[in-house]
Amino acid sequence: QTVVTQEPSLTVSPGGTVTLTCASSTGAVTSGNHPNWFQQKPGQAPRALIYSTTYKHSWTPARFSGSLLGGKAALTLSGVQPEDEAEYYCLLYYGDSQLVFGGGTKLTVL
Amino acid sequence: QVQLQESGPGLVKSSETLSLTCTVSGGSISYHYWSWIRQPPGKGLEWIGYIFHSGSTNYNPSLESRVTISVDASKNQFALKLSSVTAADTAVYYCARVVVGSTRKWVDPLGQGTLVSVSS
């Protein structure tokens, strides 16, 4: 069973920069895994932010960016705002058949 | 734009079958893949499976023996059935569209989610 691992929690100061990562138990994450990133606030459905590693949806704030970093998928928030406090999930695609979510990162803005 | 809405019983008895429907509006179900995702209270997201508009399916291996996803193009709906449920199946269930392009893939939109509780 494939496992996707994220940092359980991270803390960042307002205006700061933070990078969340997403690792695969099968090896290095590549563009072929089409990493997707979601933001979820309490009581709300997840909201898509990033797809296929670097692409932003039309509603994704410019301070969010995606990349591959050291064999992992990464989500970087630059100039963090208080409203960015949320749970963040990555999603990886494996071939044409499987999707696997990471366990989520709880981001605290403090 | 495309919107998704889940519907179905909010309470299911243990050992019975959970059944949910997702209605697609603002676009045709006859394109793309259509997926179910769930989230137990206080826990993370879990992909359940997806169906192509043609009817071909792929399921999470951990749930495959109990899951069936089907599509009804005439109603612009797709459905989830999960058999032999236990308390561990209590979760918010989301339906979602999975877009698979030649070079890009994404999941969006998701429905608002519906809580299904399993009672003993």
Side-chain angles (χ1 to χ4, degrees):
Chain A
Q1 182 90 354
T2 302
V3 177
V4 175
T5 301
Q6 300 181 241
E7 297 87 359
S9 64
L10 291 169
T11 300
V12 61
S13 300
T17 297
V18 64
T19 297
L20 290 64
T21 67
C22 174
S24 172
S25 64
T26 63
V29 176
T30 71
S31 59
N33 294 118
H34 295 276
N36 280 215
W37 290 92
F38 299 84
Q39 178 191 65
Q40 186 179 35
K41 296 183 178 180
Q44 297 182 15
R47 181 176 73 140
L49 291 175
I50 300 287
Y51 63 98
S52 291
T53 308
T54 61
Y55 295 94
K56 299 179 187 182
H57 291 282
S58 60
W59 53 85
T60 303
R63 61 184 180 274
F64 290 84
S65 63
S67 64
L68 294 177
L69 199 61
K72 301 179 183 180
L75 175 70
T76 299
L77 288 70
S78 304
V80 172
Q81 301 296 306
E83 61 265 30
D84 297 333
E85 182 162 295
E87 192 87 21
Y88 290 85
Y89 293 93
C90 67
L91 172 68
L92 299 180
Y93 295 72
Y94 292 88
D96 292 329
S97 59
Q98 297 296 313
L99 281 66
V100 182
F101 282 98
T105 296
K106 181 177 175 59
L107 182 66
T108 300
V109 181
L110 201 58
Chain B
Q1 73 278 19
V2 173
Q3 293 184 310
L4 308 178
Q5 179 67 58
E6 306 88 353
S7 59
L11 189 62
V12 180
K13 292 183 179 179
S14 183
S15 80
E16 296 189 344
T17 296
L18 178 159
S19 296
L20 295 173
T21 298
C22 182
T23 300
V24 179
S25 59
S28 173
I29 202 169
S30 297
Y31 301 97
H32 307 306
Y33 293 78
W34 303 93
S35 185
W36 288 97
I37 296 161
R38 71 179 183 177
Q39 184 172 37
K43 296 188 178 181
L45 300 169
E46 179 179 35
W47 174 70
I48 297 171
Y50 64 62
I51 187 166
F52 194 47
H53 64 85
S54 63
S56 63
T57 54
N58 272 300
Y59 300 131
N60 185 325
S62 68
L63 298 169
E64 187 165 13
S65 63
R66 299 194 291 130
V67 173
T68 302
I69 299 176
S70 59
V71 64
D72 186 339
S74 67
K75 295 182 179 178
N76 232 33
Q77 294 176 335
F78 62 106
L80 169 70
K81 290 189 184 300
L82 181 66
S83 64
S84 304
V85 297
T86 69
D89 295 310
T90 293
V92 175
Y93 286 77
Y94 298 98
C95 58
R97 181 182 65 172
V98 182
V99 178
V100 177
S102 57
T103 59
R104 306 176 194 179
K105 298 181 180 180
W106 68 89
V107 175
D108 184 76
L110 286 77
Q112 65 184 27
T114 187
L115 175 63
V116 179
S117 299
V118 177
S119 68
S120 55

